[in-house]
Amino acid sequence: MTEIRVDPEDWDLIVPQAEGPQLVVAGPGAGKTEFLVRRARHLIERGTPTDSVLLLSFSRRGASALRDRVTSGLDRSFTSIPASTFHSLAMRVVEAHGGAGDWPRVPTLLTGPEQVEMVARLLGSEDPRRWPSTLRPLLPSRNFAEEVADFVLRASERLMGPSEIDALGRDDWRPLPGFLARYRTALIAANRIDYGSLQVEAVRLLEDPVVATAVGGGFGHVLVDEFQDTTVAQARLLELLVASHRNITAAGDPYQSVYSFRGAELSNVADFPDRFRDARGEPARRIVLTTSFRVPAAILDAAVRLTEGAGLPGAAGPVVAAPGSGSVETHGFREQSGETEWIAAEIDRVRLRDGVPLHRIGILVRSKRRFLGEMSRVLDSHRIPHLRPDTRLGDHACVRPILDLAGTAAEPTPAGVRRLALGMLGRLGLAAARQLEHQAVAESPEAALRSAEATAPLADLVADPGWATRLPAVEGFWRAWIGLPALGEMALHDAEARRALTAFSQALGRLAERDPTVTLAGYSALLDSEDFEAEPLLASLPDDDRVVLATLHQAKGMEFDVVFIADAREGVLPDLRRRDSILGTRHLSPTLTGDDHAYRRFRVQEERRLAYTAMCRARARVVWTATTDGDPERITGGGPSRFLSLVSGLPLEEAANPPPLRHDPTTAAEVEAWLRRRVSDPSMPDVERLAALGAIAANTWWRPRHPERFAGIEAPGTDHGVLTGRHRLSPSQAESYLRCPRRYVFERHLGVGGATTVYQALGSLLHGVLETVERRAAATGREHAAATEAVACLDDQFDPSEFGGEPWAASWRRHAEAILRHLYALWPGKGPGVEFERDVELVLDGITWRGRIDRVEQRGEGLHVIDYKTGATPATKAEAGASIQLGFYTMALGPEVAGAEFWYPGHQPGDRKSVAVREFDLGTLDEVENAMRNAQVGILAEEWRPTPGSHCEGCAVRIVCPMWPEGREAFAS
């Protein structure tokens, strides 16, 4: 293998040497893409036909950018250069030569959701005897269908068919070869093809030398960017494509390989020289670019510390840093609000003092669901224009509500109602949106939408969902346009809205040409699948100057002067949540196989590479920020990420120190606050205080706020009108209301003080585990599951980020396992489980009550109701004996109920030899019914009087309760 290290002054000598297989390897900012661009220009300028130079990239955005860069540097006009993604290339091969394949005609592509639907239908018709007993109960589950669909895709990416899967000899994969064969038969019968099968089919066609020559011969030179992101199938496709001439130049960097979850094979870069040999059989030439044009020494050194010890084969080795020193900072904040406010204020300083344009500033996070919403709101409050990752066309503020409406029409949910109410079509405030969401739970989504004037027009479209679920997406959009005059109003009065809606209709038109079977609801589901390349980005105007908010993955290929890596908290970055499925899909890849410890090491290394890649987006400055207050009582994420210590070279507690205070104001708001502090500071000289007061009083251009505009106390409003429309109740509502009506209305109907705690997350987790394993046990005729099954299921369902990240998550994981082991070691059941998570309802004086029973056992001739309680303190026997919850379950399930009880596996004193059980007294049913009626009457009459007691300790709404001194202040006249 020939390897040459190329300094910048040698480029002009090496770029023209385009014949034969070559691998361009380089570190961050060293010009891999620029090298390909210059080589493409050289080929065209020397007379190579433009249509014989093929540019390939990982994404549509990358391919388009590559073509634009080549075209812009050519001294000619109207130059058309083929630039493609691997999927587009594979489709062209199948369209041109698919007649030789198994499909009767050119198949149409399946979207991701459509593939899951097809897999779900096939699983629903499977003979359960083909599947292991542990998987049989999962066959009707959509979640399992998603896992099987993912397995199918990953197997295709590795060119593994039924025989290859079968040869691996895994017992848990025994039914999969047969299923894969039946799935392929179903695809051919429907004349559809998924993305994985598309690559397999293209490779199979290209293995015919006639087809390979016809396709590959048309492209005399193939230039591939981001080669480290390719799958096994894509690498094989390239190998066959260039076999006739071997003129391929691929650029990549294994240290920027961060897409293993999408099938990227880390070893492709290292294997390239042996795999792509020249006409003499010699290994491909390696061209190593030595110098970064973007990343200065301080940033590069810090980024390298993140990946030290990885030793990836095929890497470029040390890179010479770009000129300039650069800077890397790490800061910690007690609360997320402090973190977001500081970032926004710092952006103001960078823009106003350093003259950095906003579009040269990036805020990057690991997950867009956690942090970007709050960050966006803070930037709005600072009037800083910004481009979020959800300003993709499908998530533009004017387009997203249409897709939300389509999704809600297809599957009406309270959460969908809330999104619609908050979006551009509803424009309701947060409190009103929450009220509609609660009403959707109590009644129906359609009724909730009709109850508010702003959302009433949406109700007809939700009631008749055919426009979203049956018509082609573009036709569904026009039906929504006709039914919602607000869309026309937005387009008429807002140029950006008009541009977005026009682009959306054009995108749907192109989609209909490609696949008219895709509905608007299906398109919405596709975009929500986290595949951010599934649609084109909404292009900004050339003169747009906006901060970019993006995920670390989305920032790949971008470039900034200043990069903020925000929300860098343990459990978030690195993200070490279990990604493996029940099927163990990761074991398809030799890179990802091995025990859990080896896989975890790989995940940590990939997270380090992701952070390395993000840091190297910056030319001048990188700032890491994290919230340090990992309150174990709240689901807010863990403490600062271990990466802060790696990049700073400091102990973590020092790396997470708050930034130094800056007393010199920059923005108008900071100037106002600075002046007011000086006026109110008695230690300041009188002349300075008077000068500050004069500046505040002056009618200057920056217009300080008038004192009347400061936050004050509003007059108290009425207690009535909180409830609207019809209502449904539950035993938990009744118990909450009877404990304290005022706290009930604030938490249940006004959304105040009801923050989710880790105790609730623990309860949800354990209930989910018990439902899963007990259903499996019942399906196999067992009375109950085993502790080992429950612990394995716990590992599958446990998400550390829901428990504050590490180190708290590990403690909660151990606590959950202890509860499960205690329960199964001393199982208190006395019969087989016959129903799990059973929904029940009861009508009382015309009002519907609903609830969900955790477990129903058959004991002799009668049924027994069990409700799991994961808290550590059991109810007293008297409290359980008259429990509204157990009484409601007993009445709702009917006369077959012979008993009901609470189980408390979380109550584990050292000498306990049994699980604590509290039984319901069937003789108290009349008492329970009267309590339910009292709660029902009080709620419907909107009687919200406070009821003080021991439950007031820790009450989140005590500060607005007139029974307490701190609450009475809110009602002072």
Side-chain angles (χ1 to χ4, degrees):
M1 177 184 66
T2 302
E3 175 174 301
I4 57 173
R5 298 184 68 83
V6 180
D7 296 328
E9 57 269 21
D10 299 326
W11 276 42
D12 289 343
L13 175 65
I14 302 299
V15 165
Q17 301 175 18
E19 306 306 312
Q22 302 175 45
L23 176 67
V24 180
V25 185
K32 297 183 297 296
T33 303
E34 179 64 20
F35 189 94
L36 295 179
V37 168
R38 293 191 190 184
R39 176 159 284 182
R41 290 175 187 162
H42 166 78
L43 289 169
I44 294 169
E45 287 168 348
R46 80 176 187 186
T48 304
T50 56
D51 59 0
S52 72
V53 179
L54 174 63
L55 307 175
L56 279 173
S57 188
F58 182 60
S59 66
R60 285 195 294 272
R61 183 179 68 184
S64 177
L66 193 59
R67 176 174 51 206
D68 291 345
R69 287 175 64 175
V70 173
T71 304
S72 65
L74 292 172
D75 188 20
R76 61 174 73 182
S77 58
F78 307 111
T79 298
S80 177
I81 303 172
S84 175
T85 65
F86 284 93
H87 288 120
S88 298
L89 176 63
M91 194 68 207
R92 288 168 61 180
V93 173
V94 171
E95 287 175 342
H97 302 278
D102 295 329
W103 275 261
R105 56 189 182 279
V106 177
T108 57
L109 270 171
L110 278 173
T111 64
E114 288 175 325
Q115 182 188 14
V116 173
E117 288 297 332
M118 176 174 280
V119 169
R121 288 197 302 271
L122 290 174
L123 289 175
S125 62
E126 284 283 280
D127 182 350
R129 291 172 295 182
R130 292 172 174 163
W131 294 77
S133 59
T134 54
L135 297 179
R136 290 171 192 168
L138 301 179
L139 292 176
S141 164
R142 182 174 179 84
N143 288 339
F144 187 63
E146 291 174 351
E147 293 200 0
V148 174
D150 183 65
F151 184 95
V152 170
L153 176 60
R154 302 308 162 207
S156 297
E157 288 172 340
R158 303 201 66 80
L159 298 176
M160 300 176 72
S163 59
E164 289 83 4
I165 301 297
D166 190 49
L168 294 175
R170 288 179 60 107
D171 288 340
D172 52 342
W173 289 0
R174 183 167 37 84
L176 290 173
F179 179 81
L180 287 173
R182 290 187 290 277
Y183 172 73
R184 179 179 172 85
T185 300
L187 283 177
I188 294 171
N191 203 53
R192 305 299 298 276
I193 194 167
D194 63 53
Y195 284 100
S197 300
L198 175 65
Q199 296 178 68
V200 173
E201 186 67 6
V203 168
R204 192 185 69 78
L205 291 168
L206 288 172
E207 285 174 340
D208 181 340
V210 175
V211 175
T213 301
V215 177
F219 301 117
H221 289 270
V222 177
L223 308 179
V224 186
D225 201 11
E226 306 289 4
F227 185 73
Q228 76 279 348
D229 295 331
T230 54
T231 66
V232 169
Q234 289 164 350
R236 177 60 178 161
L237 186 151
L238 283 175
E239 187 179 4
L240 295 168
L241 185 68
V242 302
S244 61
H245 54 72
R246 295 180 172 85
N247 294 328
I248 178 173
T249 304
D253 177 7
Y255 278 94
Q256 297 187 58
S257 177
V258 294
Y259 286 109
S260 68
F261 65 96
R262 288 187 178 178
E265 179 51 56
L266 182 61
S267 63
N268 278 351
V269 173
D271 294 344
F272 185 95
D274 285 332
R275 186 168 196 167
F276 293 85
R277 292 175 175 264
D278 64 19
R280 301 188 308 274
E282 295 296 323
R285 182 167 65 159
R286 272 175 54 96
I287 300 172
V288 179
L289 306 182
T290 62
T291 305
S292 178
F293 297 99
R294 179 177 65 233
V295 189
I299 297 176
L300 187 60
D301 291 346
V304 167
R305 283 197 293 271
L306 275 173
T307 57
E308 273 184 332
L312 295 180
V319 177
V320 178
S325 58
S327 66
V328 176
E329 306 162 37
T330 60
H331 300 307
F333 302 84
R334 289 201 58 188
E335 296 177 346
Q336 189 180 91
S337 59
E339 182 179 0
T340 54
E341 285 288 346
W342 183 85
I343 291 174
E346 192 66 13
I347 288 173
D348 270 329
R349 293 187 183 95
V350 168
R351 170 180 57 169
L352 297 173
R353 293 192 168 182
D354 302 336
V356 178
L358 291 178
H359 69 273
R360 300 293 301 172
I361 302 171
I363 304 174
L364 311 182
V365 297
R366 181 62 180 85
S367 168
K368 69 182 180 183
R369 294 180 175 177
R370 277 183 45 87
F371 188 84
L372 288 187
E374 177 65 21
M375 189 73 248
S376 179
R377 285 190 289 273
V378 172
L379 291 176
D380 282 336
S381 70
H382 282 252
R383 298 180 181 176
I384 298 175
H386 54 282
L387 186 69
R388 287 179 50 166
D390 56 3
T391 52
R392 302 173 303 166
L393 179 55
D395 279 332
H396 187 274
C398 297
V399 176
R400 182 74 252 179
I402 301 170
L403 295 173
D404 284 340
L405 180 59
T408 304
E411 187 177 354
T413 63
V417 169
R418 184 172 185 264
R419 284 195 297 270
L420 291 175
L422 289 171
M424 297 286 284
L425 297 176
R427 295 181 180 274
L428 295 181
L430 184 58
R434 283 176 173 166
Q435 183 174 331
L436 284 191
E437 184 180 17
H438 292 316
Q439 188 174 345
V441 173
E443 301 178 43
S444 70
E446 180 189 345
L449 290 170
R450 290 193 190 281
S451 67
E453 182 179 354
T455 58
L458 309 178
D460 290 336
L461 290 168
V462 170
D464 183 13
W467 64 277
T469 58
R470 291 193 297 272
L471 295 177
V474 67
E475 293 185 30
F477 168 68
W478 289 117
R479 291 287 181 91
W481 178 275
I482 293 170
L484 296 172
L487 290 177
E489 290 293 319
M490 281 194 295
L492 184 64
H493 296 103
D494 187 326
E496 184 176 345
R498 183 164 59 251
R499 182 170 61 119
L501 292 169
T502 300
F504 183 54
S505 66
Q506 292 170 347
L508 295 181
R510 291 192 296 270
L511 175 67
E513 294 173 2
R514 187 172 71 250
D515 188 354
T517 65
V518 180
T519 65
L520 201 54
Y523 186 62
S524 177
L526 172 66
L527 302 188
D528 286 339
S529 68
E530 285 290 313
D531 181 2
F532 55 80
E533 292 294 350
E535 57 168 332
L537 295 175
L538 178 64
S540 300
L541 293 173
D543 59 350
D544 275 358
D545 190 26
R546 303 183 182 190
V547 171
V548 175
L549 274 70
T551 66
L552 272 65
H553 283 101
Q554 287 171 311
K556 199 163 181 286
M558 296 182 181
E559 183 180 290
F560 305 98
D561 290 336
V562 180
V563 165
F564 294 88
I565 299 178
D567 194 33
R569 310 189 66 178
E570 197 66 24
V572 178
L573 177 64
D575 177 5
L576 299 180
R577 291 175 297 169
R578 288 179 61 93
R579 279 195 183 142
D580 204 13
S581 65
I582 293 175
L583 295 173
T585 303
R586 68 177 172 89
H587 294 288
L588 288 168
S589 168
T591 305
L592 304 180
T593 193
D595 60 26
D596 288 343
H597 294 295
Y599 180 55
R600 184 180 177 87
R601 283 196 299 273
F602 175 86
R603 289 284 308 283
V604 171
Q605 290 169 356
E606 185 170 65
E607 291 289 297
R608 289 167 70 173
R609 294 197 299 271
L610 179 61
Y612 164 91
T613 303
M615 289 187 69
C616 294
R617 302 303 95 202
R619 280 185 169 274
R621 182 184 178 197
V622 175
V623 184
W624 285 71
T625 64
T627 304
T628 61
D629 184 13
D631 182 354
E633 298 295 315
R634 300 289 181 188
I635 302 175
T636 56
S641 168
R642 67 190 80 173
F643 290 173
L644 270 68
S645 179
L646 289 174
V647 300
S648 66
L650 299 171
L652 186 57
E653 59 272 15
E654 294 182 34
N657 278 335
L661 293 176
R662 290 188 173 94
H663 299 290
D664 47 337
T666 301
T667 65
E670 291 177 346
V671 168
E672 178 186 345
W674 181 78
L675 290 170
R676 293 191 187 281
R677 284 197 301 270
R678 297 181 80 81
V679 170
S680 60
D681 185 356
S683 66
M684 294 293 297
D686 289 346
V687 64
E688 291 194 28
R689 296 177 69 188
L690 286 172
L693 182 61
I696 291 173
N699 186 22
T700 52
W701 63 269
W702 53 276
R703 300 187 180 202
R705 292 171 297 167
H706 191 278
E708 292 179 356
R709 294 176 54 202
F710 290 175
I713 296 175
E714 295 186 44
T718 177
D719 280 350
H720 294 276
V722 176
L723 306 182
T724 58
R726 297 171 53 222
H727 299 283
R728 291 184 176 88
L729 300 177
S730 69
S732 62
Q733 287 186 56
E735 291 173 344
S736 177
Y737 177 82
L738 293 174
R739 188 179 304 114
C740 179
R742 190 168 197 86
R743 181 172 181 175
Y744 163 81
V745 69
F746 270 104
E747 293 184 346
R748 181 78 185 190
H749 293 286
L750 300 179
V752 176
T756 303
T757 68
V758 284
Y759 297 106
Q760 292 167 302
L762 176 69
S764 298
L765 172 66
L766 291 174
H767 277 73
V769 169
L770 290 170
E771 177 189 6
T772 300
V773 298
E774 289 305 309
R775 282 189 188 277
R776 293 177 188 170
T780 56
R782 292 177 291 158
E783 191 166 295
H784 63 82
T788 53
E789 296 174 78
V791 172
C793 185
L794 172 67
D795 287 335
D796 287 334
Q797 297 190 16
F798 187 78
D799 182 351
S801 67
E802 294 187 352
F803 293 87
E806 303 299 347
W808 297 282
S811 176
W812 283 104
R813 160 65 182 74
R814 290 192 296 270
H815 181 48
E817 180 176 343
I819 291 175
L820 290 171
R821 291 193 181 279
H822 179 65
L823 174 63
Y824 281 102
L826 304 169
W827 184 259
K830 299 176 182 177
V834 292
E835 293 192 74
F836 310 93
E837 297 299 324
R838 161 75 181 273
D839 290 318
V840 292
E841 66 177 45
L842 178 71
V843 177
L844 194 63
D845 297 337
I847 300 298
T848 300
W849 289 65
R850 287 183 172 173
R852 176 172 291 180
I853 301 174
D854 293 339
R855 176 184 177 88
V856 179
E857 285 188 357
Q858 184 74 50
R859 298 185 183 178
E861 298 299 320
L863 299 178
H864 219 83
V865 171
I866 291 97
D867 190 80
Y868 309 127
K869 296 295 185 184
T870 55
T873 306
T876 65
K877 293 182 178 180
E879 290 170 340
S883 164
I884 293 178
Q885 187 177 17
L886 294 179
F888 165 76
Y889 292 156
T890 300
M891 290 187 287
L893 207 55
E896 296 181 357
V897 177
E901 59 195 37
F902 291 128
W903 289 1
Y904 290 89
H907 178 60
Q908 301 175 40
D911 58 348
R912 174 158 288 281
K913 302 301 182 183
S914 63
V915 171
V917 174
R918 297 290 185 267
E919 297 182 354
F920 178 71
D921 182 355
L922 295 177
T924 65
L925 282 176
D926 289 342
E927 178 184 336
V928 168
E929 184 174 344
N930 287 334
M932 291 171 62
R933 292 182 189 278
N934 290 337
Q936 180 171 296
V937 169
I939 291 172
L940 297 181
E942 299 194 70
E943 293 289 343
W944 313 127
R945 64 190 183 284
T947 305
S950 60
H951 52 266
C952 292
E953 293 298 325
C955 175
V957 299
R958 182 164 158 172
I959 59 172
V960 289
C961 177
M963 299 299 294
W964 293 92
E966 58 267 41
R968 282 195 291 271
E969 293 179 6
F971 300 92
S973 58

